[in-house]
Amino acid sequence: MNKIIVALLLLLVCLTGCKNEESSPISLADVKEVFGHYGIFLVPTKDGSPQAVFSRTYNGVTPSRFVVDTKQSISIYVYPSEAEAVKGIKDFEEQTATADVVPHTRYPINNVVLYDITNLKPNRDCIAKVIQDLRGYAAVSNPQVDLSEAGKMKYREIAWATVEEEQRKHVIGRSTDAEVTTIIMNNQWLVPNKDRAKLRYHKLVTVTFNTDQDGLLGPIVVVINPANDEVEGGYARF
């Protein structure tokens, strides 16, 4: 009997761990980055009234509001978990049950609830492509990326080790001051050119070294996979 109980407990732990790996919380920065892939830049805005339907707080979360153009706006609610997002949707429905709500489309993506406020089909279709990528990103088990100063320094050292000696002569400033940020891998072209389909929707780290040739060739950008700290390649310089 004891062996059966232990086996069941181990199975429960395994299933719980697998579920956590499959679900990657999305940040507001992630959402804005995926929009940027499609050339859609979300311009922050504020409603005159915090009681406007798409500005209200639902389940304790107040949205970030943006405009795409004069006929389309976006409200983004970022919850701490998918369960809290579901509660946020329920709260929205309860608070607006008797309201005359303008045309909109709601997109739940893991811990994020996005409201696209427009009645124009071309606008809706464009946002739907972004949502598809966001859902792909949420489905991937993305590792936590440490962008503390210690974490950034680690990535700078990894990237610097791959920069050829001849290129190092053109780097401006210290390598330890290089900019470190993240990208969500989609269709970016990296050198060397190889199949990176398995990395689609994964969050990768970029380290940028500015050079005295930036105006001609662009900076040196090294792309690192934070899951194993391996260099996946770099941005092409022309």
Side-chain angles (χ1 to χ4, degrees), residues 2 14 17 20-21 25 27 72 88 94 103 116 135 141 152 159 167 182 188 204 209-210 212 225 229 237:
N2 289 338
C14 179
N20 288 339
E21 288 182 357
S27 69
Q72 185 175 27
E94 290 175 350
D116 176 21
R135 286 179 173 155
S141 179
K152 289 181 179 180
Q167 291 181 318
T182 61
Q188 295 93 329
L204 305 179
F209 301 102
N210 291 111
D212 57 14
N225 187 345
D229 290 342
R237 303 180 77 206

Side-chain angles (χ1 to χ4, degrees), residues 104-119:
H104 68 279
T105 305
R106 179 173 64 216
Y107 297 100
I109 315 109
N110 197 355
N111 61 303
V112 168
V113 181
L114 185 149
Y115 292 91
D116 176 21
I117 303 100
T118 184
N119 61 354

Side-chain angles (χ1 to χ4, degrees), residues 188-208:
Q188 295 93 329
W189 180 27
L190 301 184
V191 178
N193 186 21
K194 61 182 181 179
D195 183 13
R196 293 185 175 85
K198 64 179 181 180
L199 290 177
R200 192 175 187 197
Y201 301 133
H202 284 256
K203 181 175 285 189
L204 305 179
V205 174
T206 62
V207 182
T208 302

Side-chain angles (χ1 to χ4, degrees), residues 77-194:
Y77 291 79
V78 182
Y79 292 92
S81 68
E82 186 174 1
E84 293 302 310
V86 171
K87 293 178 182 177
I89 292 173
K90 182 179 180 181
D91 193 13
F92 174 91
E93 292 176 343
E94 290 175 350
Q95 289 194 43
T96 62
T98 59
D100 185 16
V101 182
V102 299
H104 68 279
T105 305
R106 179 173 64 216
Y107 297 100
I109 315 109
N110 197 355
N111 61 303
V112 168
V113 181
L114 185 149
Y115 292 91
D116 176 21
I117 303 100
T118 184
N119 61 354
L120 301 177
K121 186 178 185 302
N123 293 41
R124 291 199 309 268
D125 290 348
C126 190
I127 298 302
K129 295 178 181 178
V130 177
I131 298 302
Q132 182 178 358
D133 273 9
L134 279 170
R135 286 179 173 155
Y137 171 71
V140 170
S141 179
N142 279 293
Q144 291 296 316
V145 181
D146 178 14
L147 289 186
S148 65
E149 193 50 47
K152 289 181 179 180
M153 193 58 66
K154 178 187 73 171
Y155 292 125
R156 289 179 184 122
E157 291 174 356
I158 294 171
W160 185 244
T162 69
V163 179
E164 297 177 359
E165 192 62 37
E166 185 59 34
Q167 291 181 318
R168 290 186 179 188
K169 298 176 182 178
H170 296 281
V171 172
I172 298 173
R174 299 180 301 177
S175 63
T176 52
D177 292 330
E179 179 185 14
V180 180
T181 186
T182 61
I183 61 168
I184 295 173
M185 188 66 180
N186 195 335
N187 298 314
Q188 295 93 329
W189 180 27
L190 301 184
V191 178
N193 186 21
K194 61 182 181 179

